[in-house]
Amino acid sequence: EHRTSNIIKQIDIIVTMTAANIPANVAIIAISNGTPPNKSNPVNALGAPVRQFLQTSLQNALNDPSIESIILIGRPDSKGVFSAGADIKEFSGNDSSGVTTSDPGGIPTLNDLAHLIEGSSKPVVAALTGACLGGGMELALSAQYRVADNSLKYGLPEVKIGLIPGAGGTQRLPRLCGVRHALDMIVRGRINGSAQEGLKFGFLDGVVSSKESVLEYALRWANWASMLPSTTMESRRLCRRAVPLDEEGIENRDMCDFAFQSLPPKDKGGESAHACLEAIRASFELSSFDEGMEAEKNLFNDLLYHSMQGKAYRHIFFAERSSSSASGRKKNAGNQLGKGKGAVGMIGAGTMGRGIAISFLRAGFGPVILVDVNPKGLEAGVQYIRSTLQGEAKKGRLAPSKLKGILSSLESSTNLSSLADCDLVVEAAFENLKVKRDIFSKLNTIVKKKDALLLSNTSTLDVDAIASSLSPERRAFCAGMHFFSPAHIMKLVEVVRGSDTSPETLDTIRALTKRIKKIPVVVGNCDGFVGNRMIHPYTSESTLLLVDYGGGEAGLGISDVDAAVGPKYFGMAVGPFVMSDIAGNDIGYNIRREKGILRDPKTGQVGSNRKQMRYTELADEMVEKMGRVGQKAKKGWYNYDPKVGKGRKPLPSSEMQALIDKYSMNSPQQGRKLDEGDIVNRVLFPLVNEGFKILEEGIASDPSDIDIIYLYGYGWPAWRGGPMFWADNYVGLSKILSELDKFHSMHPGSEYFRPSKLLRKCVSMGMGVQEYYSNGYAKSQSPTKSKL
């Protein structure tokens, strides 16, 4: 009774607010009014309270003899979003029975609401603004009429979280707009359908002009619709329609067959895409709408309850919103950098500096001052930035007017003193601690603003050691901002918190990282941080596998390892050796030299820090003696021919095979192949183990943060959910522990095989690491102090 009286009160408020303009015979139902007063719901997610509100409001309007038509709108003021869809949290639990079916008298499902709207005896006009996505679009499809303003962005993105539209979207959209548009929106998971596109394909009946609001426009439609005969109402119900023929004469079945050819394989992340296609086929292959709806329900529930890929996709969805990348922990909304304003200094015109500068320029920061002491390098950097942005404009990604403003914001200099008035400086110089400390020492004097952010793009070095070059009062404004190459394309940024980095600085970096359309994840300060620290055992063991099992045509080869880990089998974007060639093999070589691991080429003396480490000099020799530093030299682990695949296609190298033969000749396992699964276990289990150690030490605050880092920084397949999710759900921690124990007994010199204490604890408790963190055990039993 309390809930019903609250709904009636809310409806009364709407009527009172707009009584002067709204006829008494029209009911206005605003989705936003279904959100409880103490809850935030800016996207009008269709959670249980909202669905209950909509059902009661609709039934009240239908039962009121004075009401002749109904308008469904996002907000009473006609602004903001219509609805971004279902409350995805309802899909994450073990009991999701309310998603497609409901108990009599219980909370209605989206399907219940769609059927109620579609079967309404009074015309329902959906007035659409802003986001109209997923379940929100499915409710709009069930209305008899749909109108919108030009802020509309519609779509059905469920495929991206491992599902299909589950409230009639796969059956109503083909009937309304045809199979061609349904395939485009549903299988691709588009979210950018515009008002004009909706008008073209028949999703919309009208688009409002700038002279009136969408509510005023919807009122005219509602009044007109209420005067139409019942036969017209019946024809507007999509459940009564057949799927139309394609306007270009292509058979619907043929269009689906063509779409099938471009789908990813089912076992490589394509389960939900294949289910989308199957559901669309059902719309015209089955004999009735009800049969199509039953097929949609079965496909939806099968994905929801049985698809590990879908669980992985939804894990990533929530991880992005709940990890340290998420805004809202401590907002610093007043900072101008977080709003895309301020002068940015970029030190280093090399590959990273260029990409970072492009990212800030695109986002509207200015001026962006590129500094490099090498005039030729600076000139090349400026030219690259200009040509890249001009290329984007030619492809339609940048408006010509915006391009002109962006290019005018780019400045260059060979002198650090040009950065005196910057609000933010990002250093991307050579990865050498002495070089970086010298730069920061100079910035300490040059930069006038005492609260300017001074950030380093270091990928492995100690952020505290870099910050120590600054005066104590500046250190609160210093942190790591580790971009991934190419920086203007890759979405990830590791935000490295130093000992003195203030919470406000972290908030500002988060905000400005999102402003440049990247994903920030806050990590602690250690060698390699999270991503590169975990990649070390992965690449090391990949090379050692060649030494253990390589040799001749019969032995394990470079391409065998890449095929096992890359797209052909496991699903990484590229294998470890292609990745190294892209990044540059000299980078790893220089890091090993800095760590004191390499053999001195002059004295022949082994580095003092190698000690009893299991190690091979294969990767050192290929760089040092052969100059095989990667794609930039046209030779690395592979050969590269500018005439083949634009110089990026890996080609086998007889020189590298001879080098592998040399280093593997004394191995007892020389000349043997391993199957793909064994290769994956050998190179990825130590990577996962390092992730456990990173959590154990407090370098990462949650397993999902590691998953986000690997998804967006290292090409981990989203359908496997990230390394920690994969360990928990695809493999099982008991198996990983058992295999690591075995590997460590075989190779005691590889410390990365020694199982983490946290891994042992999770296995002993019989739970996954994500469950361990979600249940709060990490806070109550963490053996080490967090570095965050």
Side-chain angles (χ1 to χ4, degrees), residues 230-299:
S230 59
T231 52
T232 303
M233 272 286 290
E234 184 69 9
S235 70
R236 301 293 300 185
R237 296 187 176 104
L238 298 180
C239 62
R240 301 286 186 257
R241 294 189 188 181
V243 176
L245 298 175
D246 184 64
E247 290 184 354
E248 296 184 17
I250 301 174
E251 293 287 336
N252 289 332
R253 185 173 288 101
D254 291 339
M255 280 191 289
C256 287
D257 290 342
F258 182 76
F260 176 83
Q261 296 174 21
S262 64
L263 297 185
K266 272 190 176 182
D267 63 348
K268 295 290 188 295
E271 288 179 352
S272 57
H274 282 265
C276 284
L277 185 60
E278 188 175 342
I280 292 171
R281 284 187 188 275
S283 70
F284 61 85
E285 288 185 345
L286 299 183
S287 59
S288 70
F289 177 82
D290 289 341
E291 287 182 66
M293 288 295 295
E294 185 68 17
E296 178 188 90
K297 182 182 78 172
N298 291 337
L299 287 165

Coordinates of all heavy atoms in Angstrom, one line a residue, residues 230-299:
S230 N -10.0 1.4 -33.6 CA -9.3 0.3 -33.0 C -8.5 -0.6 -34.0 O -7.5 -1.2 -33.6 CB -10.3 -0.6 -32.2 OG -11.3 -1.1 -33.1
T231 N -8.9 -0.6 -35.2 CA -8.2 -1.4 -36.2 C -6.8 -0.8 -36.4 O -5.9 -1.6 -36.7 CB -9.0 -1.4 -37.5 OG1 -9.3 -0.1 -37.9 CG2 -10.3 -2.2 -37.4
T232 N -6.7 0.5 -36.3 CA -5.4 1.1 -36.5 C -4.5 0.7 -35.3 O -3.3 0.4 -35.5 CB -5.5 2.6 -36.6 OG1 -6.3 3.0 -37.6 CG2 -4.1 3.3 -36.7
M233 N -5.0 0.7 -34.1 CA -4.3 0.3 -32.9 C -3.7 -1.1 -33.1 O -2.6 -1.4 -32.8 CB -5.1 0.4 -31.7 CG -5.1 1.8 -31.0 SD -3.6 2.1 -30.1 CE -3.8 0.9 -28.8
E234 N -4.6 -2.0 -33.6 CA -4.2 -3.4 -33.8 C -3.1 -3.5 -34.8 O -2.1 -4.3 -34.5 CB -5.4 -4.2 -34.3 CG -5.2 -5.7 -34.4 CD -5.0 -6.4 -33.0 OE1 -5.2 -5.7 -32.0 OE2 -4.6 -7.6 -33.0
S235 N -3.1 -2.7 -35.8 CA -2.0 -2.8 -36.8 C -0.7 -2.2 -36.3 O 0.4 -2.5 -36.8 CB -2.4 -2.0 -38.1 OG -2.4 -0.6 -37.8
R236 N -0.7 -1.4 -35.2 CA 0.5 -0.9 -34.7 C 1.2 -1.8 -33.7 O 2.3 -1.6 -33.3 CB 0.2 0.4 -33.9 CG -0.4 1.5 -34.8 CD 0.5 2.1 -35.8 NE 1.7 2.6 -35.3 CZ 2.6 3.2 -36.0 NH1 2.5 3.4 -37.3 NH2 3.7 3.7 -35.5
R237 N 0.5 -2.9 -33.3 CA 1.1 -3.9 -32.4 C 2.0 -4.8 -33.3 O 1.6 -5.5 -34.1 CB 0.0 -4.7 -31.7 CG -0.8 -3.9 -30.8 CD -1.8 -4.7 -30.0 NE -2.5 -3.9 -29.1 CZ -3.8 -3.5 -29.2 NH1 -4.5 -4.0 -30.3 NH2 -4.4 -2.8 -28.4
L238 N 3.3 -4.7 -32.9 CA 4.3 -5.5 -33.7 C 4.1 -7.0 -33.6 O 4.5 -7.7 -34.5 CB 5.7 -5.1 -33.3 CG 6.1 -3.6 -33.5 CD1 7.5 -3.3 -33.0 CD2 5.9 -3.2 -35.0
C239 N 3.5 -7.5 -32.6 CA 3.3 -8.9 -32.4 C 2.3 -9.4 -33.5 O 2.2 -10.6 -33.7 CB 2.8 -9.2 -31.0 SG 1.2 -8.5 -30.6
R240 N 1.6 -8.5 -34.1 CA 0.6 -8.9 -35.1 C 1.2 -8.8 -36.5 O 0.6 -9.1 -37.5 CB -0.6 -7.9 -35.1 CG -1.3 -7.9 -33.8 CD -2.1 -9.2 -33.6 NE -2.9 -9.2 -32.4 CZ -2.6 -9.8 -31.2 NH1 -1.5 -10.5 -31.2 NH2 -3.4 -9.7 -30.2
R241 N 2.5 -8.3 -36.7 CA 3.1 -8.1 -38.0 C 4.0 -9.3 -38.3 O 4.5 -10.0 -37.5 CB 3.9 -6.8 -38.0 CG 3.1 -5.6 -37.8 CD 4.0 -4.4 -38.1 NE 3.4 -3.1 -37.8 CZ 4.0 -1.9 -38.0 NH1 5.2 -1.9 -38.4 NH2 3.3 -0.8 -37.7
A242 N 4.2 -9.4 -39.6 CA 5.2 -10.4 -40.1 C 6.4 -9.6 -40.4 O 6.4 -8.4 -40.6 CB 4.7 -11.1 -41.4
V243 N 7.6 -10.3 -40.5 CA 8.8 -9.6 -40.8 C 8.8 -9.3 -42.3 O 8.5 -10.1 -43.2 CB 10.0 -10.6 -40.6 CG1 11.3 -9.9 -41.0 CG2 10.1 -10.9 -39.1
P244 N 9.0 -8.0 -42.6 CA 8.9 -7.6 -44.0 C 10.1 -8.1 -44.9 O 11.1 -8.5 -44.4 CB 9.0 -6.0 -43.9 CG 9.8 -5.8 -42.7 CD 9.4 -6.9 -41.7
L245 N 9.8 -8.1 -46.2 CA 10.9 -8.4 -47.2 C 11.9 -7.2 -47.2 O 11.5 -6.1 -47.0 CB 10.3 -8.7 -48.5 CG 9.3 -9.9 -48.6 CD1 8.8 -9.9 -50.0 CD2 10.1 -11.2 -48.3
D246 N 13.1 -7.5 -47.6 CA 14.1 -6.5 -47.7 C 13.8 -5.6 -48.9 O 13.4 -6.0 -50.0 CB 15.5 -7.1 -47.9 CG 16.6 -6.1 -47.9 OD1 16.8 -5.4 -46.8 OD2 17.3 -6.0 -48.9
E247 N 14.0 -4.3 -48.7 CA 13.7 -3.3 -49.8 C 14.6 -3.5 -51.0 O 14.2 -3.1 -52.1 CB 13.9 -1.9 -49.2 CG 12.9 -1.5 -48.2 CD 13.0 0.0 -47.8 OE1 14.0 0.6 -48.2 OE2 12.1 0.5 -47.1
E248 N 15.8 -4.1 -50.8 CA 16.7 -4.3 -51.9 C 16.5 -5.7 -52.6 O 17.3 -6.1 -53.4 CB 18.2 -4.1 -51.5 CG 18.5 -2.7 -51.1 CD 19.9 -2.5 -50.7 OE1 20.8 -3.4 -51.1 OE2 20.3 -1.5 -50.0
G249 N 15.5 -6.4 -52.1 CA 15.2 -7.7 -52.7 C 16.0 -8.9 -52.2 O 15.9 -10.0 -52.8
I250 N 16.8 -8.7 -51.2 CA 17.6 -9.8 -50.7 C 16.8 -10.6 -49.7 O 16.1 -10.1 -48.9 CB 18.9 -9.3 -50.1 CG1 19.7 -8.5 -51.0 CG2 19.8 -10.5 -49.5 CD1 21.0 -7.8 -50.4
E251 N 16.8 -11.9 -49.9 CA 16.1 -12.8 -48.9 C 16.6 -12.6 -47.5 O 17.8 -12.5 -47.3 CB 16.2 -14.2 -49.4 CG 15.6 -14.6 -50.7 CD 14.0 -14.6 -50.5 OE1 13.6 -14.8 -49.4 OE2 13.4 -14.4 -51.5
N252 N 15.7 -12.6 -46.5 CA 16.1 -12.5 -45.1 C 17.1 -13.6 -44.7 O 18.0 -13.4 -44.0 CB 14.9 -12.5 -44.2 CG 14.1 -11.2 -44.4 OD1 14.6 -10.1 -44.7 ND2 12.7 -11.3 -44.1
R253 N 16.8 -14.8 -45.2 CA 17.7 -15.9 -44.9 C 19.1 -15.7 -45.4 O 20.1 -16.0 -44.8 CB 17.1 -17.2 -45.5 CG 17.8 -18.5 -45.1 CD 17.1 -19.7 -45.5 NE 15.9 -19.9 -44.7 CZ 14.6 -19.6 -45.1 NH1 14.4 -19.1 -46.3 NH2 13.6 -19.9 -44.3
D254 N 19.2 -15.1 -46.6 CA 20.5 -14.9 -47.3 C 21.2 -13.8 -46.5 O 22.5 -13.9 -46.3 CB 20.3 -14.5 -48.7 CG 19.8 -15.6 -49.6 OD1 20.0 -16.8 -49.2 OD2 19.3 -15.3 -50.7
M255 N 20.5 -12.8 -46.0 CA 21.2 -11.8 -45.2 C 21.8 -12.4 -43.9 O 22.9 -12.0 -43.5 CB 20.3 -10.6 -44.9 CG 20.1 -9.7 -46.0 SD 19.2 -8.2 -45.6 CE 17.6 -8.8 -45.3
C256 N 21.1 -13.3 -43.3 CA 21.5 -13.9 -42.1 C 22.7 -14.8 -42.4 O 23.7 -14.9 -41.6 CB 20.4 -14.7 -41.4 SG 19.2 -13.7 -40.6
D257 N 22.7 -15.5 -43.5 CA 23.8 -16.4 -43.9 C 25.1 -15.5 -44.1 O 26.2 -15.9 -43.8 CB 23.5 -17.1 -45.2 CG 22.4 -18.2 -45.0 OD1 22.2 -18.6 -43.8 OD2 21.8 -18.7 -46.0
F258 N 24.9 -14.4 -44.7 CA 26.0 -13.5 -45.0 C 26.6 -13.0 -43.7 O 27.8 -12.9 -43.5 CB 25.6 -12.3 -45.9 CG 26.7 -11.4 -46.2 CD1 27.7 -11.7 -47.2 CD2 26.8 -10.1 -45.6 CE1 28.7 -10.9 -47.5 CE2 27.8 -9.3 -45.9 CZ 28.8 -9.6 -46.8
A259 N 25.7 -12.6 -42.7 CA 26.1 -12.1 -41.4 C 26.9 -13.2 -40.7 O 27.9 -12.9 -40.0 CB 24.9 -11.6 -40.6
F260 N 26.5 -14.4 -40.8 CA 27.1 -15.5 -40.2 C 28.6 -15.6 -40.5 O 29.4 -16.0 -39.6 CB 26.4 -16.8 -40.5 CG 27.0 -18.1 -40.0 CD1 26.7 -18.5 -38.7 CD2 27.9 -18.9 -40.7 CE1 27.3 -19.6 -38.1 CE2 28.5 -20.0 -40.2 CZ 28.2 -20.4 -38.9
Q261 N 28.9 -15.3 -41.7 CA 30.3 -15.4 -42.2 C 31.3 -14.5 -41.4 O 32.5 -14.8 -41.3 CB 30.4 -15.2 -43.7 CG 29.7 -16.2 -44.5 CD 29.6 -15.8 -46.0 OE1 30.5 -15.0 -46.5 NE2 28.7 -16.3 -46.7
S262 N 30.8 -13.4 -40.9 CA 31.6 -12.5 -40.2 C 31.7 -12.6 -38.7 O 32.3 -11.9 -38.0 CB 31.2 -11.0 -40.6 OG 29.9 -10.8 -40.1
L263 N 30.9 -13.6 -38.2 CA 30.9 -13.8 -36.7 C 32.1 -14.5 -36.2 O 32.7 -15.3 -36.9 CB 29.7 -14.6 -36.3 CG 28.3 -14.1 -36.6 CD1 27.2 -15.1 -36.1 CD2 28.1 -12.7 -36.1
P264 N 32.6 -14.1 -35.0 CA 33.7 -14.8 -34.4 C 33.2 -16.3 -34.1 O 32.0 -16.5 -33.9 CB 34.0 -14.1 -33.1 CG 32.7 -13.4 -32.8 CD 32.1 -13.0 -34.1
P265 N 34.1 -17.2 -34.1 CA 33.7 -18.6 -33.8 C 33.1 -18.7 -32.4 O 33.4 -17.9 -31.5 CB 35.1 -19.4 -33.8 CG 36.0 -18.6 -34.6 CD 35.6 -17.1 -34.4
K266 N 32.2 -19.6 -32.2 CA 31.5 -19.7 -30.9 C 32.5 -19.9 -29.8 O 32.3 -19.4 -28.7 CB 30.5 -20.9 -31.0 CG 29.2 -20.6 -31.5 CD 28.2 -21.8 -31.2 CE 26.8 -21.5 -31.6 NZ 25.9 -22.6 -31.3
D267 N 33.5 -20.7 -30.0 CA 34.5 -21.0 -29.0 C 35.6 -19.9 -28.8 O 36.5 -20.1 -28.0 CB 35.1 -22.4 -29.2 CG 36.0 -22.4 -30.4 OD1 35.9 -21.5 -31.3 OD2 36.7 -23.4 -30.6
K268 N 35.5 -18.9 -29.6 CA 36.4 -17.7 -29.4 C 35.7 -16.4 -29.1 O 36.0 -15.4 -29.7 CB 37.2 -17.6 -30.7 CG 38.1 -18.7 -31.1 CD 39.3 -18.8 -30.1 CE 40.4 -19.8 -30.5 NZ 39.9 -21.2 -30.5
G269 N 34.7 -16.5 -28.2 CA 34.0 -15.4 -27.8 C 32.7 -15.1 -28.5 O 32.1 -14.0 -28.3
G270 N 32.3 -15.9 -29.5 CA 31.1 -15.6 -30.3 C 29.8 -16.2 -29.9 O 28.9 -16.2 -30.7
E271 N 29.7 -16.8 -28.7 CA 28.5 -17.5 -28.3 C 27.3 -16.5 -28.4 O 26.2 -16.9 -28.9 CB 28.6 -18.1 -26.9 CG 29.5 -19.3 -26.8 CD 29.6 -19.8 -25.4 OE1 29.1 -19.2 -24.5 OE2 30.2 -20.9 -25.3
S272 N 27.4 -15.3 -27.8 CA 26.3 -14.4 -27.8 C 25.9 -13.9 -29.2 O 24.7 -13.7 -29.5 CB 26.5 -13.3 -26.8 OG 27.7 -12.6 -27.2
A273 N 26.9 -13.7 -30.0 CA 26.7 -13.2 -31.4 C 25.9 -14.2 -32.2 O 25.0 -13.9 -32.9 CB 28.0 -12.8 -32.1
H274 N 26.3 -15.5 -32.1 CA 25.6 -16.6 -32.8 C 24.2 -16.7 -32.3 O 23.3 -17.0 -33.0 CB 26.4 -17.9 -32.6 CG 27.6 -18.0 -33.4 ND1 27.6 -18.7 -34.7 CD2 28.8 -17.6 -33.3 CE1 28.8 -18.6 -35.2 NE2 29.6 -18.0 -34.4
A275 N 24.0 -16.5 -30.9 CA 22.6 -16.6 -30.4 C 21.8 -15.4 -30.9 O 20.6 -15.6 -31.2 CB 22.7 -16.6 -28.9
C276 N 22.4 -14.2 -31.0 CA 21.6 -13.1 -31.6 C 21.1 -13.4 -33.0 O 20.0 -13.2 -33.4 CB 22.5 -11.9 -31.7 SG 22.8 -11.0 -30.1
L277 N 22.0 -14.0 -33.8 CA 21.6 -14.3 -35.2 C 20.5 -15.4 -35.2 O 19.6 -15.3 -36.0 CB 22.9 -14.8 -35.9 CG 22.7 -15.1 -37.4 CD1 22.3 -13.9 -38.2 CD2 24.0 -15.7 -38.0
E278 N 20.7 -16.4 -34.3 CA 19.7 -17.4 -34.3 C 18.3 -16.9 -33.9 O 17.3 -17.3 -34.4 CB 20.1 -18.5 -33.3 CG 19.2 -19.8 -33.3 CD 19.8 -20.8 -32.4 OE1 21.0 -20.8 -32.0 OE2 19.0 -21.7 -32.0
A279 N 18.3 -15.9 -32.9 CA 17.0 -15.3 -32.5 C 16.4 -14.5 -33.6 O 15.2 -14.5 -33.8 CB 17.3 -14.5 -31.3
I280 N 17.2 -13.8 -34.4 CA 16.7 -13.0 -35.5 C 16.1 -13.9 -36.6 O 15.1 -13.7 -37.1 CB 17.8 -12.1 -36.1 CG1 18.1 -11.0 -35.1 CG2 17.3 -11.4 -37.4 CD1 19.4 -10.2 -35.5
R281 N 16.8 -15.0 -36.8 CA 16.3 -16.0 -37.8 C 14.9 -16.5 -37.3 O 14.0 -16.7 -38.1 CB 17.2 -17.2 -37.9 CG 18.5 -17.0 -38.7 CD 19.2 -18.4 -38.8 NE 20.5 -18.3 -39.4 CZ 20.7 -18.3 -40.8 NH1 19.7 -18.3 -41.6 NH2 21.9 -18.2 -41.2
A282 N 14.7 -16.7 -36.0 CA 13.5 -17.2 -35.5 C 12.3 -16.2 -35.8 O 11.2 -16.7 -35.9 CB 13.6 -17.4 -34.0
S283 N 12.6 -14.9 -35.9 CA 11.6 -13.9 -36.1 C 10.9 -14.2 -37.5 O 9.7 -13.8 -37.6 CB 12.1 -12.5 -36.1 OG 13.0 -12.3 -37.2
F284 N 11.5 -14.7 -38.5 CA 10.9 -15.0 -39.8 C 10.8 -16.5 -40.1 O 10.0 -16.8 -41.0 CB 11.6 -14.2 -40.9 CG 13.0 -14.6 -41.1 CD1 13.4 -15.6 -41.9 CD2 14.0 -13.8 -40.5 CE1 14.7 -16.0 -42.2 CE2 15.4 -14.1 -40.8 CZ 15.7 -15.2 -41.6
E285 N 11.5 -17.3 -39.4 CA 11.5 -18.8 -39.8 C 10.4 -19.5 -39.0 O 9.8 -20.4 -39.5 CB 12.8 -19.4 -39.5 CG 13.9 -19.0 -40.5 CD 15.2 -19.8 -40.3 OE1 15.4 -20.4 -39.2 OE2 16.1 -19.7 -41.2
L286 N 10.1 -19.0 -37.8 CA 9.0 -19.7 -37.0 C 7.7 -19.1 -37.4 O 7.6 -18.0 -37.9 CB 9.3 -19.5 -35.5 CG 10.6 -20.1 -35.0 CD1 10.8 -19.9 -33.5 CD2 10.7 -21.6 -35.3
S287 N 6.7 -19.8 -37.1 CA 5.3 -19.5 -37.6 C 4.6 -18.4 -36.9 O 3.6 -17.9 -37.4 CB 4.5 -20.8 -37.7 OG 4.3 -21.3 -36.4
S288 N 5.0 -18.1 -35.7 CA 4.3 -17.1 -34.9 C 5.2 -16.2 -34.0 O 6.4 -16.6 -33.7 CB 3.2 -17.7 -34.0 OG 3.8 -18.4 -32.9
F289 N 4.7 -15.1 -33.6 CA 5.4 -14.2 -32.7 C 5.7 -14.9 -31.4 O 6.8 -14.8 -30.9 CB 4.6 -12.9 -32.5 CG 5.3 -12.0 -31.5 CD1 6.3 -11.1 -31.9 CD2 4.9 -11.9 -30.2 CE1 6.9 -10.2 -31.0 CE2 5.4 -11.0 -29.3 CZ 6.4 -10.2 -29.7
D290 N 4.7 -15.6 -30.9 CA 4.9 -16.3 -29.6 C 6.0 -17.4 -29.7 O 6.8 -17.5 -28.7 CB 3.6 -17.0 -29.2 CG 2.5 -15.9 -28.7 OD1 2.9 -14.8 -28.5 OD2 1.3 -16.3 -28.7
E291 N 6.1 -18.1 -30.8 CA 7.2 -19.1 -30.9 C 8.5 -18.4 -31.0 O 9.5 -18.8 -30.4 CB 6.9 -19.9 -32.2 CG 5.8 -20.9 -32.1 CD 5.7 -21.7 -33.4 OE1 6.6 -22.5 -33.7 OE2 4.7 -21.5 -34.1
G292 N 8.6 -17.2 -31.7 CA 9.8 -16.4 -31.7 C 10.2 -16.0 -30.3 O 11.4 -16.0 -30.0
M293 N 9.2 -15.5 -29.5 CA 9.5 -15.1 -28.2 C 10.0 -16.2 -27.3 O 10.9 -16.0 -26.5 CB 8.3 -14.4 -27.5 CG 7.9 -13.1 -28.1 SD 9.2 -11.8 -27.8 CE 9.1 -11.7 -26.0
E294 N 9.5 -17.4 -27.5 CA 9.9 -18.6 -26.7 C 11.3 -18.9 -27.1 O 12.2 -19.2 -26.2 CB 9.0 -19.7 -27.0 CG 9.3 -21.0 -26.2 CD 9.0 -20.8 -24.7 OE1 8.2 -19.9 -24.3 OE2 9.5 -21.6 -23.9
A295 N 11.7 -18.8 -28.4 CA 13.0 -19.1 -28.8 C 14.0 -18.1 -28.2 O 15.1 -18.4 -27.8 CB 13.1 -19.0 -30.4
E296 N 13.6 -16.8 -28.2 CA 14.4 -15.7 -27.6 C 14.7 -16.0 -26.2 O 15.8 -15.9 -25.7 CB 13.8 -14.4 -27.8 CG 14.5 -13.2 -27.2 CD 13.8 -11.9 -27.2 OE1 13.0 -11.6 -26.2 OE2 13.9 -11.2 -28.2
K297 N 13.6 -16.4 -25.4 CA 13.7 -16.6 -24.0 C 14.7 -17.8 -23.7 O 15.6 -17.7 -22.8 CB 12.4 -17.0 -23.4 CG 12.4 -17.2 -21.9 CD 11.1 -17.6 -21.3 CE 10.7 -19.0 -21.6 NZ 9.5 -19.5 -20.9
N298 N 14.6 -18.8 -24.5 CA 15.5 -20.0 -24.3 C 16.9 -19.7 -24.6 O 17.8 -20.1 -23.9 CB 15.0 -21.2 -25.2 CG 13.7 -21.7 -24.7 OD1 13.3 -21.6 -23.6 ND2 13.0 -22.4 -25.7
L299 N 17.1 -18.9 -25.6 CA 18.5 -18.5 -26.0 C 19.1 -17.6 -24.9 O 20.2 -17.7 -24.5 CB 18.5 -17.8 -27.3 CG 18.3 -18.7 -28.6 CD1 18.0 -17.9 -29.8 CD2 19.6 -19.5 -28.8

